Amino acid sequence: MKKIVIIAFGGSGVLGGVETYVIRMLEWLSSNGVDAYVMYERKANLAPGFAVEIERLCSKRILLEWLRNDVQIDLRSIARIHLPESSNVHIICFQNPFLLFAAEAIKIANPACTINTFFYAVHYLDFQRNKTRKSQNKVLQNLLKYIYKKLLIKLQMGANIIYMDEYCAEQINENYGLAWEKYVPKIVRLGVKVPPYNEDIVLLRYQNESFNILTIARFDFPYKGYILGLIDEFEQFEKEVPYSVLHIIGDGPGQEALVQKIASKSSALQKKVILHGSIPYANIGTYFDRCKVFIGMGTSLLDASSQSILSITAKLNQTKCLCSGFFFNNIKDIGYMGEIPAAELLKMVSKMSMEEYKHYCRNNYNSYADFYNIDVIMEQLLKHKNHSNKATLSRLDLFILNNGRRLLSYLGRIMGK
């Protein structure tokens, strides 16, 4: 039986955490002899570096047509998507829940295949796309949320949702008020490659004349606003460690705010904050080799840990830079907690002896390798099965999903605010 994995994603236009994770998954599938497809909207805005990797790693692209923005799928075109008969297929969807609804439509259209579909929630807001315009009638907002809640329960009971961690599950639970005691949410951590530990590069980093600090993130504020706060923390740290340099890799809608933040500092400090822009994923290793410590959250934190770098976990949704500590202090936390100013942790690193630094780097690497090994993670994903060979969502469910928001928006315009 032919094995196929289809990875579905949106198109943010930047090389963010989801995009780099998709690249790692495609690399794993390719190296393990699994036929890898990708699925996304025909008009999706793919970051150039991401598009190159997609072209290199996938064997087929399925391009979806949206009828209206990203809330109405062309179900007739999906019905014409035919997969190789009798193939064993996993469809893994990221970012937009409507991709899961499209995957369910593909399952209905291919009854001769064994197809498992699921949404991989890697962001705690992934299922809050039920939110409508602020101006929309509250009654209609609540009605749409009720529809989503019922369908979310149905998908959960059908084993069509996987969460990257407990926080994602808890936040989605809180948003919809789901009765989680009826079932146990499926948790599958983010996966990263585990290269051998490199003590030689650890020693070179320690001996480097510059104290290089690195962060990598999409400039999406306030979600990843810790970067703005990191500028202030670096200003404090640099007073005690004047040979320090802060390197920032990324791009995104908050670029101008970040540039303005850096410009508000002294000219001397500005020269020590280096904004590198977006770097192809394959080239990031060069920057990891130079840095003594990494500060970040999410998948970039895991990428850094894979390179034997001592890493600090920053909290999401802030414009300060409060951290939970070193990554190995709480390996389940990749950005949810934090009360420690980054400067305090950086000062600890600056005062470490070589043996202490080596010990911390080794602890950081071992914790990551034990918990986030992509070989283990991908096996978990590919063993996961829906509770039924039939599609969890019916054609009626898909019709309601496909037309519900449009209808409610129309009613909202009639009813007014």
Side-chain angles (χ1 to χ4, degrees):
M1 182 180 289
K2 185 178 180 64
K3 179 66 178 176
I4 299 172
V5 173
I6 303 172
I7 302 180
F9 48 82
S12 64
V14 298
L15 190 63
V18 168
E19 288 78 12
T20 55
Y21 191 21
V22 168
I23 291 171
R24 292 196 298 273
M25 295 173 78
L26 290 173
E27 288 176 337
W28 187 93
L29 293 168
S30 177
S31 64
N32 284 272
V34 180
D35 212 2
Y37 295 7
V38 294
M39 182 168 75
Y40 55 91
E41 182 192 358
R42 185 180 298 278
K43 297 179 181 179
N45 179 21
L46 303 185
F50 186 42
V52 169
E53 294 298 315
I54 292 298
E55 188 70 27
R56 178 176 70 89
L57 294 167
C58 79
S59 57
K60 183 176 180 179
R61 289 182 291 178
I62 298 174
L63 303 180
L64 299 174
E65 302 285 354
W66 300 111
L67 296 180
R68 294 176 180 272
N69 298 321
D70 65 345
V71 296
Q72 196 178 25
I73 310 164
D74 185 355
L75 293 174
R76 289 175 296 181
S77 66
I78 291 177
R80 294 192 293 270
I81 296 173
H82 296 296
L83 301 173
E85 193 166 334
S86 300
S87 54
N88 183 358
V89 183
H90 269 67
I91 306 179
I92 306 171
C93 304
F94 288 97
Q95 295 175 312
N96 186 346
F98 273 80
L99 291 169
L100 176 59
F101 309 149
E104 283 285 283
I106 291 174
K107 189 171 184 177
I108 292 172
N110 290 268
C113 297
T114 301
I115 300 178
N116 290 283
T117 71
F118 54 90
F119 186 82
Y120 198 171
V122 297
H123 193 301
Y124 72 102
L125 294 177
D126 274 342
F127 268 95
Q128 292 194 33
R129 287 175 176 263
N130 61 287
K131 289 189 175 181
T132 50
R133 298 186 307 272
K134 291 182 179 180
S135 62
Q136 188 142 26
N137 184 283
K138 291 293 183 183
V139 174
L140 298 180
Q141 285 185 358
N142 291 335
L143 177 58
L144 187 60
K145 186 171 183 175
Y146 175 80
I147 293 171
Y148 268 68
K149 177 179 178 179
K150 290 296 183 183
L151 291 170
L152 187 57
I153 291 173
K154 192 172 184 178
L155 289 167
Q156 180 69 45
M157 298 301 289
N160 293 91
I161 303 176
I162 290 177
Y163 302 91
M164 76 166 184
D165 56 28
E166 293 80 1
Y167 184 84
C168 269
E170 290 170 2
Q171 290 299 305
I172 292 172
N173 169 28
E174 183 176 310
N175 182 50
Y176 287 97
L178 299 182
W180 289 104
E181 65 273 11
K182 292 183 179 180
Y183 42 78
V184 179
K186 177 70 173 179
I187 306 294
V188 177
R189 310 287 170 187
L190 301 178
V192 186
K193 291 183 290 186
V194 182
Y197 181 72
N198 191 337
E199 185 166 304
D200 290 339
I201 196 70
V202 169
L203 293 177
L204 287 175
R205 289 174 185 143
Y206 183 84
Q207 295 165 351
N208 196 324
E209 292 182 359
S210 296
F211 190 105
N212 289 313
I213 305 161
L214 176 65
T215 192
I216 304 173
R218 176 168 44 87
F219 304 153
D220 178 9
F221 308 141
Y223 179 56
K224 297 187 178 181
Y226 78 88
I227 302 174
L228 299 174
L230 181 56
I231 306 299
D232 296 324
E233 292 295 308
F234 178 69
E235 183 179 31
Q236 296 301 314
F237 175 71
E238 191 270 342
K239 293 175 182 177
E240 294 192 21
V241 185
Y243 51 91
S244 56
V245 181
L246 174 60
H247 299 265
I248 303 173
I249 294 175
D251 63 6
Q255 171 107 14
E256 184 58 32
L258 180 58
V259 169
Q260 290 179 5
K261 181 73 173 183
I262 296 170
S264 70
K265 303 302 179 181
S266 68
S267 58
L269 190 74
Q270 289 179 42
K271 294 176 182 178
K272 293 189 173 186
V273 179
I274 303 175
L275 200 56
H276 294 280
S278 180
I279 302 295
Y281 186 65
N283 298 341
I284 289 177
T286 303
Y287 296 86
F288 283 145
D289 289 346
R290 300 172 186 167
C291 78
K292 192 168 188 176
V293 63
F294 181 87
I295 298 180
M297 52 174 281
T299 56
S300 64
L301 184 70
L302 304 181
D303 280 326
S305 297
S306 74
Q307 301 302 309
S308 312
I309 301 173
L310 180 56
S311 300
I312 294 171
T313 307
K315 184 180 180 181
L316 57 80
N317 281 335
Q318 59 167 331
T319 52
K320 297 181 179 180
C321 191
L322 299 176
C323 306
S324 61
F326 297 109
F327 175 59
F328 65 84
N329 294 141
N330 184 354
I331 56 174
K332 289 185 179 182
D333 175 31
I334 56 174
Y336 305 124
M337 298 179 288
E339 299 296 333
I340 308 170
E344 290 186 18
L345 294 164
L346 291 171
K347 290 173 186 176
M348 284 181 60
V349 179
S350 71
K351 296 174 182 177
M352 288 180 182
S353 67
M354 181 182 290
E355 289 305 313
E356 286 175 321
Y357 181 71
K358 286 166 56 179
H359 176 71
Y360 273 64
C361 288
R362 171 61 84 169
N363 279 352
N364 198 94
Y365 173 86
N366 288 345
S367 298
Y368 136 82
D370 291 342
F371 217 65
Y372 294 97
N373 188 332
I374 196 166
D375 291 331
V376 176
I377 298 304
M378 289 301 295
E379 291 293 341
Q380 290 177 2
L381 290 174
L382 298 186
K383 286 179 180 177
H384 185 69
K385 297 184 182 299
N386 300 146
H387 288 162
S388 173
N389 289 331
K390 296 181 179 179
T392 302
L393 298 180
S394 66
R395 284 184 169 85
L396 178 60
D397 292 330
L398 292 171
F399 175 82
I400 292 171
L401 283 164
N402 215 31
N403 296 280
R405 185 181 292 188
R406 182 185 176 194
L407 175 60
L408 292 178
S409 295
Y410 175 72
L411 291 174
R413 288 195 297 271
I414 295 175
M415 297 170 62
K417 297 182 181 180

